[in-house]
Amino acid sequence: MRKNSVKNTRINEAVKEELSSIIRNSVKDPRIAMMTSVTEAIVAPDLKTCKVMISVLGDEKAKSDTMTGLRSSAKFIRHELAVRLNLRNTPELTFRLDESIEYGVNMSKRIDEVMEEDRKKHEVSDEQN
């Protein structure tokens, strides 16, 4: 199976959806923040490993606590994934923090601030002329 094959893409999407559901509904670890989402699941072509990108809305402590909780719940999550999905192998899960959404929000906010400053400068220069 090629890395970006249609089958691999479907497996990635199915694993992502099931992991989201498991984390939201089945995992009872209090360290995991309520605003935790799975942004991407990358399953290896041999179905042995899976990188799970996690986005957490909150401060640094919430992020580190959530990652700790997910890592300690990894075996339970993998077992639940095996029950829900009929795969030849259930992949070993590796959780990674995905800060791309937060980075995008920050950049958008900065762009808006720069645009507002630029607009104000143009208004002042127009009034002087």
mmCIF file of all heavy atoms in Angstrom, residues 72-121:
data_model
loop_
_atom_site.group_PDB
_atom_site.id
_atom_site.type_symbol
_atom_site.label_atom_id
_atom_site.label_comp_id
_atom_site.label_asym_id
_atom_site.label_seq_id
_atom_site.Cartn_x
_atom_site.Cartn_y
_atom_site.Cartn_z
ATOM 1 N N SER A 72 -0.976 8.339 29.117
ATOM 2 C CA SER A 72 -1.258 7.287 30.094
ATOM 3 C C SER A 72 -2.486 6.469 29.701
ATOM 4 O O SER A 72 -2.635 5.326 30.131
ATOM 5 C CB SER A 72 -1.433 7.886 31.493
ATOM 6 O OG SER A 72 -2.619 8.630 31.574
ATOM 7 N N SER A 73 -3.357 7.017 28.881
ATOM 8 C CA SER A 73 -4.564 6.318 28.429
ATOM 9 C C SER A 73 -4.369 5.641 27.073
ATOM 10 O O SER A 73 -5.335 5.108 26.516
ATOM 11 C CB SER A 73 -5.730 7.304 28.315
ATOM 12 O OG SER A 73 -5.986 7.929 29.532
ATOM 13 N N ALA A 74 -3.175 5.654 26.534
ATOM 14 C CA ALA A 74 -2.924 5.173 25.176
ATOM 15 C C ALA A 74 -3.344 3.714 24.979
ATOM 16 O O ALA A 74 -3.924 3.365 23.943
ATOM 17 C CB ALA A 74 -1.461 5.360 24.801
ATOM 18 N N LYS A 75 -3.082 2.848 25.954
ATOM 19 C CA LYS A 75 -3.443 1.440 25.803
ATOM 20 C C LYS A 75 -4.954 1.255 25.767
ATOM 21 O O LYS A 75 -5.485 0.481 24.967
ATOM 22 C CB LYS A 75 -2.832 0.609 26.928
ATOM 23 C CG LYS A 75 -1.339 0.437 26.778
ATOM 24 C CD LYS A 75 -0.773 -0.448 27.843
ATOM 25 C CE LYS A 75 0.733 -0.579 27.648
ATOM 26 N NZ LYS A 75 1.334 -1.418 28.684
ATOM 27 N N PHE A 76 -5.665 1.988 26.629
ATOM 28 C CA PHE A 76 -7.130 1.926 26.625
ATOM 29 C C PHE A 76 -7.678 2.437 25.298
ATOM 30 O O PHE A 76 -8.577 1.824 24.705
ATOM 31 C CB PHE A 76 -7.701 2.745 27.789
ATOM 32 C CG PHE A 76 -9.187 2.928 27.705
ATOM 33 C CD1 PHE A 76 -10.043 1.899 28.045
ATOM 34 C CD2 PHE A 76 -9.729 4.134 27.265
ATOM 35 C CE1 PHE A 76 -11.423 2.063 27.957
ATOM 36 C CE2 PHE A 76 -11.093 4.310 27.178
ATOM 37 C CZ PHE A 76 -11.942 3.265 27.526
ATOM 38 N N ILE A 77 -7.132 3.560 24.830
ATOM 39 C CA ILE A 77 -7.601 4.149 23.567
ATOM 40 C C ILE A 77 -7.343 3.180 22.412
ATOM 41 O O ILE A 77 -8.194 2.993 21.543
ATOM 42 C CB ILE A 77 -6.928 5.516 23.335
ATOM 43 C CG1 ILE A 77 -7.368 6.509 24.423
ATOM 44 C CG2 ILE A 77 -7.261 6.059 21.955
ATOM 45 C CD1 ILE A 77 -6.581 7.812 24.429
ATOM 46 N N ARG A 78 -6.179 2.547 22.417
ATOM 47 C CA ARG A 78 -5.852 1.588 21.357
ATOM 48 C C ARG A 78 -6.815 0.400 21.391
ATOM 49 O O ARG A 78 -7.271 -0.071 20.348
ATOM 50 C CB ARG A 78 -4.412 1.118 21.515
ATOM 51 C CG ARG A 78 -3.969 0.187 20.419
ATOM 52 C CD ARG A 78 -2.524 -0.195 20.566
ATOM 53 N NE ARG A 78 -2.125 -1.024 19.446
ATOM 54 C CZ ARG A 78 -1.254 -2.005 19.543
ATOM 55 N NH1 ARG A 78 -0.663 -2.265 20.694
ATOM 56 N NH2 ARG A 78 -0.944 -2.716 18.492
ATOM 57 N N HIS A 79 -7.123 -0.085 22.594
ATOM 58 C CA HIS A 79 -8.068 -1.198 22.725
ATOM 59 C C HIS A 79 -9.443 -0.801 22.185
ATOM 60 O O HIS A 79 -10.081 -1.564 21.445
ATOM 61 C CB HIS A 79 -8.181 -1.628 24.190
ATOM 62 C CG HIS A 79 -9.223 -2.673 24.405
ATOM 63 N ND1 HIS A 79 -10.512 -2.370 24.779
ATOM 64 C CD2 HIS A 79 -9.172 -4.024 24.268
ATOM 65 C CE1 HIS A 79 -11.212 -3.486 24.863
ATOM 66 N NE2 HIS A 79 -10.427 -4.505 24.563
ATOM 67 N N GLU A 80 -9.920 0.383 22.536
ATOM 68 C CA GLU A 80 -11.210 0.862 22.048
ATOM 69 C C GLU A 80 -11.194 1.005 20.526
ATOM 70 O O GLU A 80 -12.177 0.691 19.858
ATOM 71 C CB GLU A 80 -11.563 2.208 22.688
ATOM 72 C CG GLU A 80 -12.015 2.093 24.120
ATOM 73 C CD GLU A 80 -13.340 1.373 24.255
ATOM 74 O OE1 GLU A 80 -14.292 1.734 23.534
ATOM 75 O OE2 GLU A 80 -13.412 0.441 25.076
ATOM 76 N N LEU A 81 -10.076 1.469 19.988
ATOM 77 C CA LEU A 81 -9.943 1.597 18.540
ATOM 78 C C LEU A 81 -10.028 0.224 17.869
ATOM 79 O O LEU A 81 -10.681 0.068 16.830
ATOM 80 C CB LEU A 81 -8.620 2.292 18.197
ATOM 81 C CG LEU A 81 -8.395 2.661 16.744
ATOM 82 C CD1 LEU A 81 -9.417 3.692 16.289
ATOM 83 C CD2 LEU A 81 -6.987 3.227 16.568
ATOM 84 N N ALA A 82 -9.404 -0.776 18.482
ATOM 85 C CA ALA A 82 -9.443 -2.139 17.936
ATOM 86 C C ALA A 82 -10.861 -2.682 17.934
ATOM 87 O O ALA A 82 -11.274 -3.381 16.993
ATOM 88 C CB ALA A 82 -8.526 -3.046 18.748
ATOM 89 N N VAL A 83 -11.644 -2.363 18.982
ATOM 90 C CA VAL A 83 -13.020 -2.834 19.061
ATOM 91 C C VAL A 83 -13.884 -2.171 17.986
ATOM 92 O O VAL A 83 -14.727 -2.812 17.361
ATOM 93 C CB VAL A 83 -13.603 -2.548 20.476
ATOM 94 C CG1 VAL A 83 -15.107 -2.764 20.514
ATOM 95 C CG2 VAL A 83 -12.896 -3.404 21.511
ATOM 96 N N ARG A 84 -13.642 -0.878 17.740
ATOM 97 C CA ARG A 84 -14.494 -0.110 16.823
ATOM 98 C C ARG A 84 -14.133 -0.278 15.353
ATOM 99 O O ARG A 84 -14.999 -0.201 14.493
ATOM 100 C CB ARG A 84 -14.444 1.371 17.186
ATOM 101 C CG ARG A 84 -15.052 1.652 18.538
ATOM 102 C CD ARG A 84 -14.946 3.101 18.873
ATOM 103 N NE ARG A 84 -15.417 3.375 20.214
ATOM 104 C CZ ARG A 84 -15.872 4.540 20.600
ATOM 105 N NH1 ARG A 84 -15.926 5.558 19.758
ATOM 106 N NH2 ARG A 84 -16.271 4.720 21.831
ATOM 107 N N LEU A 85 -12.843 -0.438 15.062
ATOM 108 C CA LEU A 85 -12.404 -0.568 13.669
ATOM 109 C C LEU A 85 -11.876 -1.968 13.419
ATOM 110 O O LEU A 85 -11.108 -2.502 14.214
ATOM 111 C CB LEU A 85 -11.296 0.455 13.354
ATOM 112 C CG LEU A 85 -11.683 1.908 13.265
ATOM 113 C CD1 LEU A 85 -10.456 2.747 12.947
ATOM 114 C CD2 LEU A 85 -12.747 2.138 12.209
ATOM 115 N N ASN A 86 -12.239 -2.533 12.308
ATOM 116 C CA ASN A 86 -11.778 -3.859 11.935
ATOM 117 C C ASN A 86 -10.566 -3.717 11.026
ATOM 118 O O ASN A 86 -10.692 -3.713 9.805
ATOM 119 C CB ASN A 86 -12.903 -4.629 11.246
ATOM 120 C CG ASN A 86 -12.511 -6.048 10.947
ATOM 121 O OD1 ASN A 86 -11.560 -6.576 11.528
ATOM 122 N ND2 ASN A 86 -13.224 -6.667 10.027
ATOM 123 N N LEU A 87 -9.390 -3.575 11.650
ATOM 124 C CA LEU A 87 -8.146 -3.468 10.893
ATOM 125 C C LEU A 87 -7.312 -4.723 11.111
ATOM 126 O O LEU A 87 -7.438 -5.389 12.146
ATOM 127 C CB LEU A 87 -7.344 -2.246 11.352
ATOM 128 C CG LEU A 87 -7.972 -0.880 11.106
ATOM 129 C CD1 LEU A 87 -7.114 0.208 11.747
ATOM 130 C CD2 LEU A 87 -8.107 -0.625 9.621
ATOM 131 N N ARG A 88 -6.477 -5.035 10.151
ATOM 132 C CA ARG A 88 -5.582 -6.182 10.273
ATOM 133 C C ARG A 88 -4.715 -6.043 11.523
ATOM 134 O O ARG A 88 -4.570 -6.964 12.301
ATOM 135 C CB ARG A 88 -4.700 -6.269 9.024
ATOM 136 C CG ARG A 88 -3.802 -7.446 8.999
ATOM 137 C CD ARG A 88 -3.114 -7.638 7.647
ATOM 138 N NE ARG A 88 -3.170 -6.509 6.748
ATOM 139 C CZ ARG A 88 -2.128 -5.740 6.431
ATOM 140 N NH1 ARG A 88 -0.954 -5.970 6.947
ATOM 141 N NH2 ARG A 88 -2.275 -4.749 5.585
ATOM 142 N N ASN A 89 -4.133 -4.864 11.705
ATOM 143 C CA ASN A 89 -3.351 -4.532 12.895
ATOM 144 C C ASN A 89 -3.916 -3.248 13.481
ATOM 145 O O ASN A 89 -4.272 -2.343 12.736
ATOM 146 C CB ASN A 89 -1.875 -4.283 12.552
ATOM 147 C CG ASN A 89 -1.181 -5.505 12.009
ATOM 148 O OD1 ASN A 89 -1.385 -6.605 12.505
ATOM 149 N ND2 ASN A 89 -0.369 -5.310 10.983
ATOM 150 N N THR A 90 -3.961 -3.162 14.797
ATOM 151 C CA THR A 90 -4.336 -1.905 15.421
ATOM 152 C C THR A 90 -3.046 -1.156 15.703
ATOM 153 O O THR A 90 -2.166 -1.677 16.393
ATOM 154 C CB THR A 90 -5.113 -2.142 16.731
ATOM 155 O OG1 THR A 90 -6.253 -2.938 16.435
ATOM 156 C CG2 THR A 90 -5.566 -0.826 17.323
ATOM 157 N N PRO A 91 -2.905 0.047 15.154
ATOM 158 C CA PRO A 91 -1.623 0.739 15.268
ATOM 159 C C PRO A 91 -1.294 1.187 16.692
ATOM 160 O O PRO A 91 -2.173 1.457 17.500
ATOM 161 C CB PRO A 91 -1.799 1.954 14.350
ATOM 162 C CG PRO A 91 -3.256 2.123 14.181
ATOM 163 C CD PRO A 91 -3.883 0.796 14.388
ATOM 164 N N GLU A 92 -0.017 1.235 16.975
ATOM 165 C CA GLU A 92 0.514 1.782 18.221
ATOM 166 C C GLU A 92 0.366 3.306 18.112
ATOM 167 O O GLU A 92 0.779 3.897 17.115
ATOM 168 C CB GLU A 92 1.989 1.388 18.319
ATOM 169 C CG GLU A 92 2.619 1.387 19.665
ATOM 170 C CD GLU A 92 2.008 0.436 20.668
ATOM 171 O OE1 GLU A 92 1.740 -0.731 20.330
ATOM 172 O OE2 GLU A 92 1.813 0.890 21.793
ATOM 173 N N LEU A 93 -0.222 3.945 19.122
ATOM 174 C CA LEU A 93 -0.535 5.371 19.048
ATOM 175 C C LEU A 93 0.562 6.225 19.677
ATOM 176 O O LEU A 93 1.031 5.938 20.774
ATOM 177 C CB LEU A 93 -1.858 5.650 19.755
ATOM 178 C CG LEU A 93 -3.067 4.870 19.253
ATOM 179 C CD1 LEU A 93 -4.262 5.122 20.139
ATOM 180 C CD2 LEU A 93 -3.372 5.231 17.818
ATOM 181 N N THR A 94 0.935 7.287 18.961
ATOM 182 C CA THR A 94 1.866 8.282 19.461
ATOM 183 C C THR A 94 1.172 9.628 19.377
ATOM 184 O O THR A 94 0.780 10.061 18.296
ATOM 185 C CB THR A 94 3.153 8.324 18.604
ATOM 186 O OG1 THR A 94 3.710 7.019 18.542
ATOM 187 C CG2 THR A 94 4.155 9.299 19.181
ATOM 188 N N PHE A 95 1.010 10.291 20.525
ATOM 189 C CA PHE A 95 0.309 11.571 20.564
ATOM 190 C C PHE A 95 1.307 12.718 20.465
ATOM 191 O O PHE A 95 2.324 12.718 21.149
ATOM 192 C CB PHE A 95 -0.506 11.694 21.849
ATOM 193 C CG PHE A 95 -1.623 10.698 21.928
ATOM 194 C CD1 PHE A 95 -1.497 9.546 22.683
ATOM 195 C CD2 PHE A 95 -2.795 10.898 21.231
ATOM 196 C CE1 PHE A 95 -2.519 8.621 22.740
ATOM 197 C CE2 PHE A 95 -3.833 9.984 21.279
ATOM 198 C CZ PHE A 95 -3.683 8.837 22.042
ATOM 199 N N ARG A 96 0.974 13.684 19.614
ATOM 200 C CA ARG A 96 1.808 14.883 19.455
ATOM 201 C C ARG A 96 0.914 16.107 19.510
ATOM 202 O O ARG A 96 -0.195 16.104 18.995
ATOM 203 C CB ARG A 96 2.534 14.854 18.114
ATOM 204 C CG ARG A 96 3.419 13.636 17.988
ATOM 205 C CD ARG A 96 4.663 13.946 17.242
ATOM 206 N NE ARG A 96 5.531 12.782 17.282
ATOM 207 C CZ ARG A 96 6.149 12.292 16.248
ATOM 208 N NH1 ARG A 96 5.995 12.863 15.074
ATOM 209 N NH2 ARG A 96 6.930 11.251 16.372
ATOM 210 N N LEU A 97 1.430 17.155 20.134
ATOM 211 C CA LEU A 97 0.679 18.397 20.258
ATOM 212 C C LEU A 97 0.757 19.165 18.949
ATOM 213 O O LEU A 97 1.834 19.373 18.399
ATOM 214 C CB LEU A 97 1.249 19.229 21.410
ATOM 215 C CG LEU A 97 0.460 20.449 21.820
ATOM 216 C CD1 LEU A 97 -0.929 20.054 22.298
ATOM 217 C CD2 LEU A 97 1.184 21.184 22.940
ATOM 218 N N ASP A 98 -0.394 19.561 18.437
ATOM 219 C CA ASP A 98 -0.484 20.328 17.193
ATOM 220 C C ASP A 98 -0.860 21.765 17.547
ATOM 221 O O ASP A 98 -1.969 22.023 17.989
ATOM 222 C CB ASP A 98 -1.549 19.708 16.288
ATOM 223 C CG ASP A 98 -1.682 20.418 14.955
ATOM 224 O OD1 ASP A 98 -0.855 21.311 14.663
ATOM 225 O OD2 ASP A 98 -2.612 20.080 14.194
ATOM 226 N N GLU A 99 0.073 22.670 17.363
ATOM 227 C CA GLU A 99 -0.172 24.066 17.694
ATOM 228 C C GLU A 99 -0.425 24.914 16.457
ATOM 229 O O GLU A 99 -0.402 26.139 16.526
ATOM 230 C CB GLU A 99 0.998 24.614 18.503
ATOM 231 C CG GLU A 99 1.134 23.925 19.852
ATOM 232 C CD GLU A 99 2.233 24.497 20.714
ATOM 233 O OE1 GLU A 99 3.112 25.208 20.175
ATOM 234 O OE2 GLU A 99 2.218 24.239 21.920
ATOM 235 N N SER A 100 -0.695 24.286 15.323
ATOM 236 C CA SER A 100 -0.883 25.026 14.077
ATOM 237 C C SER A 100 -2.148 25.883 14.109
ATOM 238 O O SER A 100 -2.159 26.984 13.555
ATOM 239 C CB SER A 100 -0.925 24.075 12.889
ATOM 240 O OG SER A 100 -2.016 23.192 12.988
ATOM 241 N N ILE A 101 -3.208 25.410 14.756
ATOM 242 C CA ILE A 101 -4.440 26.203 14.828
ATOM 243 C C ILE A 101 -4.192 27.458 15.656
ATOM 244 O O ILE A 101 -4.567 28.563 15.253
ATOM 245 C CB ILE A 101 -5.590 25.368 15.421
ATOM 246 C CG1 ILE A 101 -5.942 24.225 14.467
ATOM 247 C CG2 ILE A 101 -6.804 26.242 15.702
ATOM 248 C CD1 ILE A 101 -6.934 23.238 15.009
ATOM 249 N N GLU A 102 -3.543 27.286 16.801
ATOM 250 C CA GLU A 102 -3.236 28.429 17.654
ATOM 251 C C GLU A 102 -2.301 29.404 16.931
ATOM 252 O O GLU A 102 -2.469 30.616 17.012
ATOM 253 C CB GLU A 102 -2.587 27.938 18.948
ATOM 254 C CG GLU A 102 -2.385 29.014 19.969
ATOM 255 C CD GLU A 102 -1.871 28.458 21.278
ATOM 256 O OE1 GLU A 102 -2.074 27.275 21.557
ATOM 257 O OE2 GLU A 102 -1.254 29.250 22.019
ATOM 258 N N TYR A 103 -1.336 28.877 16.202
ATOM 259 C CA TYR A 103 -0.414 29.719 15.443
ATOM 260 C C TYR A 103 -1.184 30.515 14.381
ATOM 261 O O TYR A 103 -0.960 31.716 14.204
ATOM 262 C CB TYR A 103 0.663 28.845 14.782
ATOM 263 C CG TYR A 103 1.629 29.612 13.918
ATOM 264 C CD1 TYR A 103 2.662 30.346 14.481
ATOM 265 C CD2 TYR A 103 1.498 29.606 12.530
ATOM 266 C CE1 TYR A 103 3.550 31.055 13.691
ATOM 267 C CE2 TYR A 103 2.371 30.308 11.733
ATOM 268 C CZ TYR A 103 3.395 31.026 12.312
ATOM 269 O OH TYR A 103 4.263 31.728 11.518
ATOM 270 N N GLY A 104 -2.100 29.855 13.690
ATOM 271 C CA GLY A 104 -2.906 30.525 12.666
ATOM 272 C C GLY A 104 -3.773 31.627 13.248
ATOM 273 O O GLY A 104 -3.902 32.710 12.659
ATOM 274 N N VAL A 105 -4.363 31.382 14.411
ATOM 275 C CA VAL A 105 -5.188 32.396 15.065
ATOM 276 C C VAL A 105 -4.328 33.594 15.454
ATOM 277 O O VAL A 105 -4.718 34.749 15.251
ATOM 278 C CB VAL A 105 -5.905 31.801 16.298
ATOM 279 C CG1 VAL A 105 -6.533 32.886 17.154
ATOM 280 C CG2 VAL A 105 -6.955 30.804 15.860
ATOM 281 N N ASN A 106 -3.135 33.329 16.003
ATOM 282 C CA ASN A 106 -2.214 34.415 16.370
ATOM 283 C C ASN A 106 -1.809 35.241 15.158
ATOM 284 O O ASN A 106 -1.791 36.479 15.217
ATOM 285 C CB ASN A 106 -0.961 33.863 17.048
ATOM 286 C CG ASN A 106 -1.099 33.785 18.541
ATOM 287 O OD1 ASN A 106 -2.003 34.380 19.124
ATOM 288 N ND2 ASN A 106 -0.212 33.042 19.163
ATOM 289 N N MET A 107 -1.482 34.573 14.062
ATOM 290 C CA MET A 107 -1.068 35.293 12.854
ATOM 291 C C MET A 107 -2.220 36.115 12.298
ATOM 292 O O MET A 107 -2.026 37.255 11.875
ATOM 293 C CB MET A 107 -0.544 34.318 11.797
ATOM 294 C CG MET A 107 0.769 33.671 12.164
ATOM 295 S SD MET A 107 2.061 34.842 12.620
ATOM 296 C CE MET A 107 2.372 35.633 11.083
ATOM 297 N N SER A 108 -3.415 35.570 12.323
ATOM 298 C CA SER A 108 -4.587 36.305 11.846
ATOM 299 C C SER A 108 -4.830 37.544 12.692
ATOM 300 O O SER A 108 -5.133 38.626 12.164
ATOM 301 C CB SER A 108 -5.811 35.391 11.877
ATOM 302 O OG SER A 108 -6.943 36.072 11.426
ATOM 303 N N LYS A 109 -4.661 37.393 13.997
ATOM 304 C CA LYS A 109 -4.844 38.524 14.903
ATOM 305 C C LYS A 109 -3.800 39.610 14.627
ATOM 306 O O LYS A 109 -4.120 40.797 14.599
ATOM 307 C CB LYS A 109 -4.725 38.049 16.353
ATOM 308 C CG LYS A 109 -5.184 39.062 17.382
ATOM 309 C CD LYS A 109 -5.019 38.548 18.795
ATOM 310 C CE LYS A 109 -5.924 37.367 19.035
ATOM 311 N NZ LYS A 109 -5.868 36.889 20.442
ATOM 312 N N ARG A 110 -2.559 39.193 14.403
ATOM 313 C CA ARG A 110 -1.497 40.166 14.102
ATOM 314 C C ARG A 110 -1.754 40.885 12.783
ATOM 315 O O ARG A 110 -1.526 42.087 12.667
ATOM 316 C CB ARG A 110 -0.142 39.468 14.068
ATOM 317 C CG ARG A 110 0.349 39.063 15.428
ATOM 318 C CD ARG A 110 1.695 38.427 15.354
ATOM 319 N NE ARG A 110 2.134 38.006 16.667
ATOM 320 C CZ ARG A 110 3.253 37.347 16.885
ATOM 321 N NH1 ARG A 110 4.035 37.029 15.856
ATOM 322 N NH2 ARG A 110 3.582 37.005 18.107
ATOM 323 N N ILE A 111 -2.209 40.152 11.786
ATOM 324 C CA ILE A 111 -2.520 40.767 10.491
ATOM 325 C C ILE A 111 -3.632 41.798 10.658
ATOM 326 O O ILE A 111 -3.554 42.903 10.106
ATOM 327 C CB ILE A 111 -2.892 39.693 9.447
ATOM 328 C CG1 ILE A 111 -1.646 38.879 9.079
ATOM 329 C CG2 ILE A 111 -3.529 40.314 8.219
ATOM 330 C CD1 ILE A 111 -1.940 37.649 8.255
ATOM 331 N N ASP A 112 -4.658 41.444 11.423
ATOM 332 C CA ASP A 112 -5.758 42.386 11.674
ATOM 333 C C ASP A 112 -5.254 43.649 12.367
ATOM 334 O O ASP A 112 -5.679 44.757 12.028
ATOM 335 C CB ASP A 112 -6.858 41.730 12.509
ATOM 336 C CG ASP A 112 -7.627 40.670 11.740
ATOM 337 O OD1 ASP A 112 -7.527 40.656 10.497
ATOM 338 O OD2 ASP A 112 -8.322 39.860 12.386
ATOM 339 N N GLU A 113 -4.339 43.491 13.340
ATOM 340 C CA GLU A 113 -3.787 44.655 14.047
ATOM 341 C C GLU A 113 -3.003 45.555 13.100
ATOM 342 O O GLU A 113 -3.143 46.781 13.130
ATOM 343 C CB GLU A 113 -2.880 44.195 15.193
ATOM 344 C CG GLU A 113 -3.628 43.571 16.356
ATOM 345 C CD GLU A 113 -2.702 42.917 17.365
ATOM 346 O OE1 GLU A 113 -1.458 42.949 17.176
ATOM 347 O OE2 GLU A 113 -3.225 42.372 18.354
ATOM 348 N N VAL A 114 -2.183 44.954 12.242
ATOM 349 C CA VAL A 114 -1.392 45.729 11.285
ATOM 350 C C VAL A 114 -2.303 46.443 10.295
ATOM 351 O O VAL A 114 -2.088 47.619 9.970
ATOM 352 C CB VAL A 114 -0.376 44.816 10.555
ATOM 353 C CG1 VAL A 114 0.264 45.527 9.387
ATOM 354 C CG2 VAL A 114 0.684 44.331 11.529
ATOM 355 N N MET A 115 -3.338 45.760 9.834
ATOM 356 C CA MET A 115 -4.280 46.377 8.896
ATOM 357 C C MET A 115 -5.005 47.558 9.552
ATOM 358 O O MET A 115 -5.208 48.593 8.911
ATOM 359 C CB MET A 115 -5.298 45.342 8.404
ATOM 360 C CG MET A 115 -4.703 44.247 7.541
ATOM 361 S SD MET A 115 -4.005 44.839 6.010
ATOM 362 C CE MET A 115 -5.487 45.252 5.132
ATOM 363 N N GLU A 116 -5.373 47.429 10.811
ATOM 364 C CA GLU A 116 -6.045 48.499 11.536
ATOM 365 C C GLU A 116 -5.119 49.709 11.702
ATOM 366 O O GLU A 116 -5.524 50.850 11.494
ATOM 367 C CB GLU A 116 -6.523 47.999 12.911
ATOM 368 C CG GLU A 116 -7.289 49.009 13.717
ATOM 369 C CD GLU A 116 -8.605 49.425 13.076
ATOM 370 O OE1 GLU A 116 -9.163 48.654 12.278
ATOM 371 O OE2 GLU A 116 -9.068 50.541 13.382
ATOM 372 N N GLU A 117 -3.847 49.445 12.065
ATOM 373 C CA GLU A 117 -2.874 50.539 12.185
ATOM 374 C C GLU A 117 -2.683 51.243 10.850
ATOM 375 O O GLU A 117 -2.626 52.471 10.782
ATOM 376 C CB GLU A 117 -1.532 50.007 12.686
ATOM 377 C CG GLU A 117 -1.530 49.607 14.136
ATOM 378 C CD GLU A 117 -0.216 48.982 14.561
ATOM 379 O OE1 GLU A 117 0.799 49.106 13.803
ATOM 380 O OE2 GLU A 117 -0.181 48.374 15.634
ATOM 381 N N ASP A 118 -2.604 50.472 9.775
ATOM 382 C CA ASP A 118 -2.429 51.037 8.437
ATOM 383 C C ASP A 118 -3.636 51.887 8.048
ATOM 384 O O ASP A 118 -3.495 52.975 7.486
ATOM 385 C CB ASP A 118 -2.223 49.905 7.428
ATOM 386 C CG ASP A 118 -1.756 50.409 6.084
ATOM 387 O OD1 ASP A 118 -0.836 51.256 6.062
ATOM 388 O OD2 ASP A 118 -2.312 49.946 5.061
ATOM 389 N N ARG A 119 -4.829 51.408 8.371
ATOM 390 C CA ARG A 119 -6.047 52.151 8.064
ATOM 391 C C ARG A 119 -6.063 53.480 8.811
ATOM 392 O O ARG A 119 -6.402 54.523 8.246
ATOM 393 C CB ARG A 119 -7.278 51.324 8.431
ATOM 394 C CG ARG A 119 -8.600 51.951 7.984
ATOM 395 C CD ARG A 119 -9.793 51.146 8.448
ATOM 396 N NE ARG A 119 -9.899 51.047 9.889
ATOM 397 C CZ ARG A 119 -10.351 52.027 10.695
ATOM 398 N NH1 ARG A 119 -10.705 53.183 10.187
ATOM 399 N NH2 ARG A 119 -10.446 51.839 11.990
ATOM 400 N N LYS A 120 -5.654 53.458 10.073
ATOM 401 C CA LYS A 120 -5.632 54.683 10.878
ATOM 402 C C LYS A 120 -4.617 55.687 10.326
ATOM 403 O O LYS A 120 -4.879 56.882 10.288
ATOM 404 C CB LYS A 120 -5.311 54.361 12.335
ATOM 405 C CG LYS A 120 -6.466 53.720 13.068
ATOM 406 C CD LYS A 120 -6.105 53.418 14.497
ATOM 407 C CE LYS A 120 -7.272 52.753 15.214
ATOM 408 N NZ LYS A 120 -6.927 52.384 16.594
ATOM 409 N N LYS A 121 -3.468 55.199 9.877
ATOM 410 C CA LYS A 121 -2.449 56.082 9.300
ATOM 411 C C LYS A 121 -2.979 56.754 8.038
ATOM 412 O O LYS A 121 -2.744 57.931 7.802
ATOM 413 C CB LYS A 121 -1.170 55.306 8.993
ATOM 414 C CG LYS A 121 -0.362 54.971 10.202
ATOM 415 C CD LYS A 121 0.879 54.196 9.821
ATOM 416 C CE LYS A 121 1.651 53.769 11.056
ATOM 417 N NZ LYS A 121 2.818 52.946 10.704
#
